Amino acid sequence: MPSMFEIRVPDAKILEFERRLGERLAHPTSVLQAIGGQRYLLADQVAKALFPGASATQMRAELLAGGAREARLVEGERGVERLVARAEPAFVPRFM
């Protein structure tokens, strides 16, 4: 299963942080998905495009050096659950 990074970046720094990440791509775009509490998800395929050939450890180090306070790898399923909880907060408890 693909994994993704959960990143914590202060709200005041997120625009600059995401801009710097986007500059690594041929066609700069939004690369992070907000999940609340100054936390963001970076999908596996996007991380691989941003840091070609880098290991997860190297990617984490790059994210921290770029201004993230935390960067941890989560399984794709857990990351998707966080996105659903953010998008449909009332739906998750009913579904569970």
Side-chain angles (χ1 to χ4, degrees):
M1 166 158 296
S3 54
M4 55 186 71
F5 280 95
E6 182 177 323
I7 303 167
R8 196 164 82 95
V9 179
D11 288 337
K13 297 182 179 183
I14 190 60
L15 293 176
E16 179 63 22
F17 180 80
E18 189 168 34
R19 185 191 61 75
R20 282 194 312 266
L21 285 179
E23 287 175 348
R24 294 172 167 259
L25 301 172
H27 303 286
T29 184
S30 179
V31 296
L32 301 174
Q33 176 65 50
I35 56 173
Q38 300 182 14
R39 293 176 303 137
Y40 302 84
L41 291 177
L42 177 64
D44 182 57
Q45 67 274 14
V46 178
K48 288 178 181 172
L50 290 168
F51 309 107
S55 68
T57 303
Q58 292 167 324
M59 289 180 200
R60 181 179 181 276
E62 289 281 340
L63 292 167
L64 293 172
R69 285 194 180 159
E70 295 175 23
R72 66 186 183 102
L73 206 55
V74 295
E75 291 180 20
E77 191 171 297
R78 289 188 62 208
V80 169
E81 288 171 8
R82 288 184 173 110
L83 285 175
V84 170
R86 176 73 175 154
E88 296 287 346
F91 175 75
V92 174
R94 287 192 315 242
F95 179 73
M96 299 309 259

